[in-house]
Amino acid sequence: SQTIHQWPATLVQPVGSPLSLECTVEGTSNPNLYWYRQAAGRGLQLLFYSVGIGQISSEVPQNLSASRPQDRQFILSSKKLLLSDSGFYLCAWSVRLNTGELFFGEGSRLTVL
Amino acid sequence: DAKTTQPNSMESNEEEPVHLPCNHSTISGTDYIHWYRQLPSQGPEYVIHGLTSNVNNRMASLAIAEDRKSSTLILHRATLRDAAVYYCIHPRGGADGLTFGKGTHLIIQP
């Protein structure tokens, strides 16, 4: 069966520090991969998606970046965190989106101080 | 994703049916309608999806209007564990992700 894991689960970082969140999927090949962010009391915002290794599409401009070095690995990074980067970050995967299901990881809660 | 409209919140009693409405007046003929729910501090969880016909699964039923401009998620017998934010979405074709609005915050009273 397919599983998705992301880490770390929680982290507290100072403003200006770097960030790296990692997500891996097991049990499937060539998944579509996504990073979402949910600020406190807000809906989920799609940040990045990827349809293959090295292929990244950004939905919103920001100081975050994403990379997909392997088929089932998706990384969210920042060189210098802002206060506004605080939130609940979720990785997700799908096979076919319009007719299928989107599977989410456990989430990573980031607090920038 | 095109816009959907849902009530901000709804309240129901335990063991009673719940009907969660969603308007999607700009839906195209090939867009599926998806429903997800999100419990506190968790990622969204898939509930159900459909195209034209009503759909049933172990979690819920989805009733789709004949003109497809609205749909209703039906929880046949709500439990306290069904308290969550419910999202109605109809994605564009392709892989470019689902956009989640604010959804409906469902409150279940014991």
Side-chain angles (χ1 to χ4, degrees):
Chain A
S1 63
Q2 301 91 356
T3 57
I4 178 170
H5 299 287
Q6 61 177 108
W7 65 92
T10 60
L11 67 166
V12 180
Q13 296 284 105
V15 168
S17 64
L19 170 74
S20 181
L21 301 178
E22 190 165 340
C23 171
T24 59
V25 179
E26 297 177 359
T28 188
S29 296
N30 198 29
N32 299 319
L33 296 172
Y34 310 87
W35 277 111
Y36 284 85
R37 176 173 63 197
Q38 187 170 37
R42 308 280 297 275
L44 276 82
Q45 179 185 36
L46 177 62
L47 301 175
F48 301 95
Y49 69 92
S50 171
V51 300
I53 296 174
Q55 301 178 61
I56 308 295
S57 296
S58 175
E59 287 291 301
V60 292
Q62 59 222 322
N63 72 322
L64 301 170
S65 62
S67 62
R68 186 170 176 173
Q70 300 180 44
D71 181 45
R72 290 169 289 175
Q73 183 185 28
F74 206 24
I75 298 171
L76 183 70
S77 305
S78 174
K79 293 181 179 178
K80 288 185 177 182
L81 284 169
L82 306 172
L83 288 173
S84 58
D85 291 324
S86 294
F88 190 45
Y89 288 81
L90 288 153
C91 180
W93 74 274
S94 72
V95 175
R96 294 183 311 279
L97 187 58
N98 199 30
T99 59
E101 185 174 342
L102 194 62
F103 300 89
F104 284 85
E106 308 94 333
S108 299
R109 189 164 300 282
L110 170 66
T111 302
V112 182
L113 300 176
Chain B
D1 298 308
K3 185 174 175 58
T4 60
T5 304
Q6 299 177 255
N8 289 332
S9 65
M10 291 183 64
E11 199 167 313
S12 182
N13 296 318
E14 198 176 9
E15 299 188 3
E16 290 185 357
V18 179
H19 291 235
L20 296 166
C22 179
N23 289 322
H24 29 79
S25 57
T26 61
I27 194 169
S28 72
T30 57
D31 290 348
Y32 278 72
I33 300 154
H34 293 240
W35 283 82
Y36 284 75
R37 72 179 186 182
Q38 187 177 19
L39 279 66
S41 297
Q42 295 186 27
E45 172 190 30
Y46 167 83
V47 177
I48 200 166
H49 76 282
L51 184 61
T52 55
S53 303
N54 294 344
V55 184
N56 300 293
N57 66 20
R58 63 175 179 80
M59 292 180 69
S61 296
L62 177 59
I64 302 172
E66 196 168 333
D67 64 6
R68 296 198 348 110
K69 294 185 184 303
S70 65
S71 62
T72 302
L73 180 72
I74 303 166
L75 307 179
H76 295 285
R77 198 159 168 263
T79 69
L80 296 177
R81 287 173 295 186
D82 292 322
V85 178
Y86 286 78
Y87 300 97
C88 164
I89 306 144
H90 62 94
R92 302 185 295 249
D96 52 359
L98 293 173
T99 300
F100 291 73
K102 294 188 177 180
T104 296
H105 184 199
L106 177 62
I107 300 166
I108 304 297
Q109 298 289 355

